[in-house]
């Protein structure tokens, strides 16, 4: 259940590793999309807007804890590439303490302050109670399961196993769909039913994946001595993971600002924004999968002290990202309205959503150039740049949305700001890679 990426074809390793990740990410996004379709079709546009209003917040709170999982994965990959099995086990044990602590902190914050957060975001009064309920269920109660699944996935992927998380995510997705239909369509539980379906499926995914990993993977069979907290590794996990968590959190803050601006344009724009966001979450998945593959590939090869092989893999990853970006540009321009029609029947919402997709698709290459260098930099241990990168994205996105929505563009400025942000941030990531700083950041 491990793969050594320090030997063999870089292209083959990246593809064979990324494909299971892609399928898993797509399943995850499909059940998120299915949530939106169920709500939009069977409950209404206001409930869909309520779910969408939680999107950026959920992204924020998840990334505060799961960003640490990425740091843990970097350490595991580099120790694995260096063939230091004892340190791999100590890192896995230490991850338990890191992920549990951060998840509990996030849970308490969400459960106590969800109503005040929704009010601060200017969510309309008529849908605010629905948003609060959905956020508390999916994030307040579900964050621990999601963080542990992300942690398990990060560790397994660092060891070269991208298939095991996929299997359990598929099962989880099927259960989620079934529970959506049961709670919403049959029991008329509305947004609460959608949230409960997501919570239960996440719990099943995390618990079953952990049991299977212990049974099948020797690195998860830890003795009492190995289960003790290891201060050095915990601090190293925090050192690597916190900048990534902060980067994701900063990006989330910029997305919250974006959502807050969207909320001022009314329910139709909010619904269109939610639909466009759900569709583009699918576009992100191949980039995310390639980035994760690049991170593991880089980590193992940095641990083996083979930087030339890292550069070769980077060139292959960039080529794949550009090809996919051009393909998605074509899809959005030809099928945008049909895609939006899957979510709602409201003509105004469909037209806004379709045009939004054509605007942002112009910057998909820039989006790809964020993910591929970022994956390499993280795998090399250059996670400190993540915070700088996050600040760049926040400044550009917030500045762009506040300026453009005040011009004749109006609410279209929301989507133009996303495109501008992806392009500029992608250029910054490429500059960091070309600087070569990452070559000196190995933790092993």
């Amino acid at each position: 259940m491990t793969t050594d990426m320090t030997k063999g074809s870089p292209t083959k390793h990246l593809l064979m590793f990324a494909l299971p990740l892609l399928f898993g990410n797509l399943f995850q996004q499909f059940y998120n999309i299915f949530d939106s379709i169920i709500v939009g079709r069977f409950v209404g546009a206001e409930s869909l807007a309520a779910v969408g209003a939680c999107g950026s917040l959920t992204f924020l709170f998840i990334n505060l804890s799961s960003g640490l999982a990425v740091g843990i994965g970097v350490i595991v990959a580099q120790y694995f590439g260096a063939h230091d099995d004892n340190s791999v086990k100590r890192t896995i044990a230490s991850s338990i303490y890191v992920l549990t602590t951060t998840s509990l902190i996030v849970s308490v914050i969400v459960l106590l302050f969800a109503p005040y957060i929704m009010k601060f975001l200017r969510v309309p009064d008529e849908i605010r109670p629905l948003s609060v309920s959905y956020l508390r269920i999916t994030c307040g109660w579900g964050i621990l399961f999601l963080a542990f699944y992300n942690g398990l996935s990060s560790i397994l992927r660092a060891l070269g196993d991208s298939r095991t998380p996929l299997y359990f995510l598929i099962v989880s997705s099927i259960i989620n769909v079934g529970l959506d239909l049961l709670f919403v369509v049959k029991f008329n539980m509305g947004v609460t039913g959608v949230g409960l379906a997501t919570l239960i499926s996440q719990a099943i995914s995390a618990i079953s994946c952990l049991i299977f990993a212990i049974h099948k993977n020797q690195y998860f069979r830890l003795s009492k001595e190995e289960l003790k907290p290891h201060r050095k590794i915990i601090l190293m996990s925090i050192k690597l993971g916190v900048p990534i968590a902060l980067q994701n959190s900063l990006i989330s803050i910029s997305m919250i600002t974006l959502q807050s601006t969207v909320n001022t344009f009314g329910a139709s724009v909010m619904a269109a924004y939610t639909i466009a966001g759900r569709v583009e979450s699918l576009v992100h998945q191949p980039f995310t999968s390639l980035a994760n593959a690049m991170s593991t590939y880089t980590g193992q090869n940095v641990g083996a002290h083979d930087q030339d092989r890292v550069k070769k893999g980077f060139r292959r990853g960039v080529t794949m990202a550009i090809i996919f970006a051009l393909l998605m540009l074509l899809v959005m321009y030809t099928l945008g309205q049909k895609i939006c029609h899957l979510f709602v029947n409201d003509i105004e919402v469909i037209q806004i959503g379709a045009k939004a997709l054509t605007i942002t698709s112009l910057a998909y290459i820039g989006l790809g150039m964020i993910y591929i260098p970022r994956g390499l930099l993280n795998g090399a241990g250059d996670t400190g740049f993540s915070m700088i990168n996050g600040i760049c994205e926040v400044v550009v996105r917030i500045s762009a949305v506040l300026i453009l929505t005040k011009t004749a563009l109006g609410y279209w400025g929301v989507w133009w700001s996303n495109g501008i942000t992806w392009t500029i941030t992608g250029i910054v990531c490429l500059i960091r890679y070309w600087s070569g700083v990452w070559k000196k950041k190995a933790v092993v």
Side-chain angles (χ1 to χ4, degrees):
M1 295 182 68
T2 60
T3 302
D4 187 349
M5 295 188 175
T6 61
K7 303 173 184 177
S9 166
T11 301
K12 181 179 178 181
H13 278 311
L14 290 173
L15 283 175
M16 295 303 293
F17 189 90
L19 285 175
L21 286 176
L22 175 59
F23 288 133
N25 289 336
L26 287 176
F27 264 95
Q28 193 170 28
Q29 295 304 320
F30 273 129
Y31 77 62
N32 287 337
I33 287 176
F34 195 84
D35 285 348
S36 298
I37 292 175
I38 288 292
V39 174
R41 291 281 184 175
F42 293 96
V43 186
E46 284 192 352
S47 293
L48 180 61
V51 171
C54 298
S56 53
L57 271 173
T58 302
F59 186 69
L60 168 64
F61 289 122
I62 288 172
N63 283 313
L64 283 171
S65 55
S66 64
L68 295 172
V70 177
I72 292 164
V74 170
I75 299 171
V76 170
Q78 293 194 17
Y79 277 135
F80 182 73
H83 304 291
D84 187 348
D85 292 349
N86 289 331
S87 293
V88 170
K89 286 192 170 187
R90 288 197 297 268
T91 305
I92 292 173
S94 299
S95 71
I96 297 171
Y97 304 100
V98 174
L99 295 175
T100 300
T101 302
T102 54
S103 297
L104 291 176
I105 291 172
V106 170
S107 290
V108 171
I109 291 172
V110 172
L111 292 173
L112 291 179
F113 299 106
Y116 306 102
I117 296 170
M118 290 291 110
K119 185 175 181 180
F120 176 75
L121 291 178
R122 296 182 289 180
V123 175
D125 292 342
E126 62 270 21
I127 65 173
R128 191 181 303 157
L130 296 176
S131 295
V132 169
S133 175
Y134 185 80
L135 183 66
R136 279 176 166 165
I137 294 170
T138 57
C139 197
W141 296 111
I143 188 68
L144 181 64
F145 298 117
L146 189 56
F148 264 89
Y149 174 78
N150 287 337
L152 284 165
S153 298
S154 182
I155 293 168
L156 288 168
R157 290 165 186 163
L159 298 171
D161 177 14
S162 61
R163 286 179 286 182
T164 296
L166 166 64
Y167 301 148
F168 292 100
L169 195 56
I170 290 174
V171 173
S172 171
S173 300
I174 294 172
I175 292 172
N176 198 142
V177 169
L179 291 176
D180 270 335
L181 294 172
L182 179 66
F183 292 155
V184 177
V185 179
K186 182 157 183 74
F187 294 155
N188 296 316
M189 295 176 66
V191 170
T192 300
V194 175
L196 286 174
T198 301
L199 170 63
I200 294 170
S201 64
Q202 286 173 349
I204 291 172
S205 179
I207 294 170
S208 57
C209 187
L210 175 60
I211 293 171
F212 186 83
I214 292 172
H215 182 65
K216 292 291 186 180
N217 193 309
Q218 62 171 331
Y219 290 106
F220 285 85
R221 298 175 200 147
L222 306 174
S223 65
K224 288 184 178 180
E225 183 64 28
E226 289 168 336
L227 277 170
K228 292 180 180 179
H230 297 273
R231 184 173 178 272
K232 178 182 176 182
I233 294 178
I234 288 175
L235 291 176
M236 193 185 301
S237 300
I238 294 171
K239 180 182 177 181
L240 291 177
V242 166
I244 297 174
L246 288 175
Q247 174 204 36
N248 291 333
S249 300
L250 287 168
I251 293 171
S252 299
I253 290 170
S254 71
M255 295 303 295
I256 289 170
T257 301
L258 203 62
Q259 180 71 62
S260 180
T261 302
V262 169
N263 293 347
T264 65
F265 289 108
S268 292
V269 175
M270 290 175 68
Y273 181 76
T274 300
I275 292 170
R278 289 288 192 259
V279 173
E280 288 188 338
S281 69
L282 294 178
V283 176
H284 282 255
Q285 299 321 305
F287 293 136
T288 301
S289 301
L290 275 173
N292 286 330
M294 184 63 64
S295 183
T296 298
Y297 173 88
T298 300
Q300 290 192 13
N301 282 285
V302 165
H305 306 291
D306 192 347
Q307 294 178 355
D308 289 337
R309 186 171 169 80
V310 173
K311 295 177 184 177
K312 185 176 181 181
F314 177 75
R315 291 192 294 269
R316 305 293 172 81
V318 166
T319 300
M320 288 185 273
I322 291 174
I323 292 172
F324 175 73
L326 293 175
L327 177 61
M328 288 299 99
L329 173 65
L330 179 63
V331 168
M332 297 308 171
Y333 267 82
T334 56
L335 300 174
Q337 287 205 3
K338 292 182 180 179
I339 292 171
C340 293
H341 186 61
L342 293 173
F343 293 86
V344 292
N345 291 318
D346 189 308
I347 299 300
E348 182 183 9
V349 173
I350 291 171
Q351 289 177 342
I352 295 172
K355 184 174 179 180
L357 290 172
T358 62
I359 291 171
T360 53
S361 64
L362 296 171
Y364 284 168
I365 290 178
L367 182 63
M369 294 309 101
I370 296 175
Y371 278 102
I372 304 304
R374 186 183 289 170
L376 183 146
L377 296 171
N378 287 341
D382 187 18
T383 61
F385 171 72
S386 296
M387 190 164 59
I388 299 172
N389 191 232
I391 292 171
C392 170
E393 190 161 341
V394 168
V395 171
V396 174
R397 178 173 282 115
I398 292 178
S399 299
V401 73
L402 292 179
I403 293 171
L404 294 180
T405 54
K406 295 294 189 291
T407 67
L409 288 173
Y411 55 73
W412 299 116
V414 169
W415 290 285
W416 280 110
S417 68
N418 263 340
I420 292 169
T421 301
W422 293 341
T423 302
I424 294 176
T425 307
I427 292 171
V428 172
C429 287
L430 286 172
I431 291 172
R432 181 66 170 194
Y433 166 74
W434 290 327
S435 74
V437 174
W438 58 271
K439 299 175 184 178
K440 304 174 184 177
K441 297 291 183 176
V443 298
V444 174

